[in-house]
Amino acid sequence: MVLPAALLEACGSTATPQQVQSLLGLPVKPVSLDARQARAVRAVVGRLIPSDATGPGAEEAMVWRYIDLALSRDLKQLKPLYTANLAALDALAVKRHGRAFAALAAGRQDAILRDLEAGRADGFTPDAATFFATVLEHTREGMFGDPYWGGNAGFAGWDLIGFPGLNMVTPQAYTELGARPPLPHRSVTQFNGMFMVTLPTGRHLGPSAAMAAKDMGGM
Amino acid sequence: MSMRVKPTDVVIVGMGGTGAIAAMALTEAGLDVVGLEAGPWRSTAEFGMDEIRNDVRNAMGPKFNAELPTSRATARDAAVQVPGVGMVNAVGGTTVHYTAFSWRMMEWNFRARTETIRRYGRAATGDADGYELRDWAVDYHDLEDYYDRVEYLLGVSGRAANVRGQQRDPLGNPFEAERRRGYPLPPLRSYGFGERCAAAARSLGWHPFRGPAAIHSEDFQGVAGSACQYCGFCGNNGCHTNAKAGTFLNAVPRAQATGNLTLRTGVRVTRVETDRDGRATGVTYVQDGMEHFQPAAMVILAAYIYENVRLLLLSTSKAFPRGLANNHDQVGRGYMSHGYLNVNGVFGERVNLFGPTGQYIWLDDWDSDNFDHTGLGFVGGGGMYSLNEVKPIGASRTLPPNVPGWGAEYKRWLARNAMSVGGMFVMVEDVAHADNRLDLDPSVKDATGVPVLRITFEPKDQEKRRLAFLERKARALVQEMGGESLWSSFFFPAINGHAYGGARMGEDPETSVADGYGITHEVPNLAVLGGALMPTSAGRNPTQTLQAMAWRTADHLVDTWSSRAA
């Protein structure tokens, strides 16, 4: 049985926000999208949550990598959808402005994304609005999920909204109205191997499932 | 052909929230029980604070997801599979990751029909509009002892108001039914936003209190380190300090300690078998690709309601050509959901909702018959509770309708307000209606080629009026709390982790499937546990009530075993 003091100790981590993902060996190049698709995804997520005075946007937070890694494993079934719709997106950009989506100015990219959102674009599967909603959802997941999933690099998403991150023990003072709890930049992978984690690359961290189940008195 | 395994007194399908309780009570009375569970054991090491894994991917219910029911609004619509309901396949079932709100029902819930007619007349039942407002075949007073036992087994944290009618705690729930003693643990600690909610509710003349949860506010039964640490990744996640009282932590170990429980994990039950006389003989299940037959004197179905109903409908035989215990065409009828209403506002400061959902302020002022329904056009109501457990992806989706969902303005809004959004939820009651039901889907099959269940459900006029009424109340409260730019969202999902009916309890075999113990009218050695039995949905979480009922069923079987075995 784990005591609160041990819990607090287990929270310790010396990794900087920038080091977390490289320590996990997450790839820096796309593994499931090709170069053209990756450029398009980077450009789209970069407009959905842009970089500005409030901080880094989804492109800098490596949200495109969250999507790329998810499409290689957990969301593999969505890969054909992304492939077809990213091609449709570039085709639309070429038709309107003569260049791929990633090469367009931000204003033109935004105009195209607004049309997708409103369903005012043909050639998408099952339709433009559904694809837009899917990418927006994945962008939010990548921006605000745990960095081990590939996005939220440097904890940019959690810092943006002031989310205090992971506390195994939350002091009551953190939950008072108006309180500004510290932002300790902790990933679930940083609890001294306490938790089983499957990285989006397939690598397992922490105790094995069999060991853990045995520990619970299972058969 | 299936392999016949050693016979047992009782076989229980599902070792979740209710099956584990029955297994405990039966084995402690000396009966041999075989528990068949589709999922594995889960451990604290799997319960990391991880919103993508827990809330987005919903990875703990692979069997549930693989045989997901289809749903449609009406019989004219096409039924499709809609993912997103987080059920768990595991020892402990969905109690592994539930929010652990742990309630007794209002006394009214058990007698909704009788009380409605008494106070408002027969027309108020909605009979003429196709509603099936029913009484339960069990009463609050039948369950009070079992509620108490469950609270002390799990270690429920809460504030009792009405102990033996003697003491009325002004900070407790004035609508609470009489109980024999207080909760074993004090309520979970307060939080700033909850206090704001309680103060605002009191200024409206309402009655807020800290709601009960099967989460230990302090070390329970002397187990050091078993108290909640308020990590705030509680819903859709197991608890890494074992503060959340899933049945895999209490009832199952107790059953194992008797030596009378044979627990088989990773097995898929496919049929309940019957003989020519229409008695259940046992169940067929698949383990590692091999089919087995488990003979049993008594069969108990304790899966979630969808799988309980599906197994009944799939288990056809000469005696039961339309499905087991379905010769009166009642299986699948009376299906109900819960509506979820959420009224949010932006507050002028951070509200810091980082505790578990089970750390909450609740109000019963607008539930059941705690207010005058004259002229309102609906019965029942819903419990109202304060928001907690805000996680970052969820926060990024929670926007007022006038804020764009992406781009620079979206990002600026999030930076300024994402941690300042707070509000109230309402769990909206649903009343059974003749149009809303479950049956087998005629075309969609699971990976093993077996039809999945089909849900036909839409909220009817009463539900819409109830929702609109409760929305006005919730808005008044959020406004009083100081929220600005209020906005509401609600959905009444067809497929729901809060689903009810399909094997309703009742006195009359013509209009119900089971009696007050969950024993089916048509098959004397077959019982159903869980929400499928419920004739009304109530406006609160059902688990503790279903656990109390399961314990009572087990005691009844023990008491009558000698005559049953003969």
Side-chain angles (χ1 to χ4, degrees), chain B residues 231-385:
Chain B
C231 79
F233 284 73
C234 185
N236 292 325
N237 192 19
C239 177
H240 49 73
T241 67
N242 289 343
K244 180 152 70 180
T247 54
F248 67 127
L249 298 171
N250 38 61
V252 176
R254 260 176 67 169
Q256 286 180 310
T258 65
N260 297 330
L261 174 67
T262 304
L263 175 53
R264 299 196 184 111
T265 57
V267 307
R268 171 191 295 270
V269 173
T270 53
R271 265 178 71 82
V272 180
E273 306 294 345
T274 43
D275 63 18
R276 262 178 303 187
D277 303 327
R279 287 182 62 88
T281 55
V283 302
T284 298
Y285 66 91
V286 179
Q287 183 170 27
D288 300 328
M290 275 269 290
E291 197 174 81
H292 299 70
F293 173 61
Q294 172 64 64
M298 180 84 204
V299 174
I300 297 180
L301 298 182
Y304 188 46
I305 85 157
Y306 299 132
E307 189 61 359
N308 272 355
V309 169
R310 186 169 81 133
L311 279 172
L312 290 173
L313 292 175
L314 288 172
S315 301
T316 53
S317 62
K318 267 203 179 120
F320 300 102
R322 289 189 291 184
L324 190 55
N326 194 30
N327 286 346
H328 294 85
D329 187 26
Q330 287 300 307
V331 175
R333 294 194 180 274
Y335 176 72
M336 291 162 287
S337 180
H338 259 166
Y340 302 108
L341 166 66
N342 177 208
V343 175
N344 280 333
V346 178
F347 289 76
E349 58 187 337
R350 290 176 58 107
V351 290
N352 293 320
L353 306 175
F354 306 130
T357 306
Q359 181 194 22
Y360 63 116
I361 295 293
W362 180 278
L363 298 108
D364 271 326
D365 296 75
W366 311 109
D367 182 54
S368 61
D369 204 33
N370 297 337
F371 57 102
D372 186 0
H373 287 65
T374 306
L376 295 178
F378 65 87
V379 300
M384 190 178 290
Y385 62 101

Side-chain angles (χ1 to χ4, degrees), chain A residues 46-58 60 143-144 156-157 160-161, chain B residues 399 403-418:
Chain A
R47 292 318 302 159
L48 295 179
I49 303 181
S51 181
D52 59 17
T54 59
E60 296 88 332
M143 186 76 184
F144 299 104
L160 174 71
I161 60 174
Chain B
L399 311 169
V403 172
W406 58 278
E409 197 183 334
Y410 167 64
K411 188 167 174 238
R412 272 198 303 276
W413 190 90
L414 284 183
R416 200 176 307 130
N417 300 305

Side-chain angles (χ1 to χ4, degrees), chain B residues 446-463:
Chain B
D446 67 19
T448 66
V450 177
V452 301
L453 204 65
R454 178 172 65 178
I455 302 166
T456 304
F457 174 86
E458 64 174 0
K460 303 293 184 184
D461 289 346
Q462 270 204 39
E463 280 61 51

Side-chain angles (χ1 to χ4, degrees), chain A residues 1 48 50 52 54-55 66 74 117 132 137 140 148-149 161-162 168 170 172 175-176 178-179 196 212 218-219, chain B residues 41-43 45-46 50 56-57 189-190 192 224 229-231 263 350 352 354 392 397 405-407 410-411 419:
Chain A
M1 200 49 65
L48 295 179
D52 59 17
T54 59
Y66 165 72
D74 283 6
E117 183 180 26
F132 179 87
E137 166 61 22
R140 289 170 174 167
Y148 88 78
W149 288 95
I161 60 174
M168 288 183 77
T170 301
Q172 186 161 13
T175 65
E176 296 299 340
M196 289 162 57
M219 44 197 68
Chain B
W41 282 89
R42 302 277 183 188
S43 97
E46 293 178 79
D50 184 349
V56 176
R57 299 279 191 268
R189 77 185 185 200
S190 70
Q229 302 298 328
Y230 302 89
C231 79
L263 175 53
R350 290 176 58 107
N352 293 320
F354 306 130
R397 301 186 190 113
W406 58 278
Y410 167 64
K411 188 167 174 238
M419 292 294 115

Side-chain angles (χ1 to χ4, degrees), chain A residues 128-201:
Chain A
T130 304
F131 178 60
F132 179 87
T134 303
V135 179
L136 178 58
E137 166 61 22
H138 291 164
T139 301
R140 289 170 174 167
E141 291 167 14
M143 186 76 184
F144 299 104
D146 192 295
Y148 88 78
W149 288 95
N152 194 9
F155 298 86
W158 292 357
D159 283 354
L160 174 71
I161 60 174
F163 180 72
L166 309 185
N167 292 294
M168 288 183 77
V169 180
T170 301
Q172 186 161 13
Y174 289 10
T175 65
E176 296 299 340
L177 294 176
R180 295 197 166 271
L183 309 175
H185 291 143
R186 267 196 300 267
S187 158
V188 74
T189 58
Q190 289 167 277
F191 288 84
N192 292 347
M194 179 173 171
F195 294 118
M196 289 162 57
V197 173
T198 303
L199 300 183
T201 52

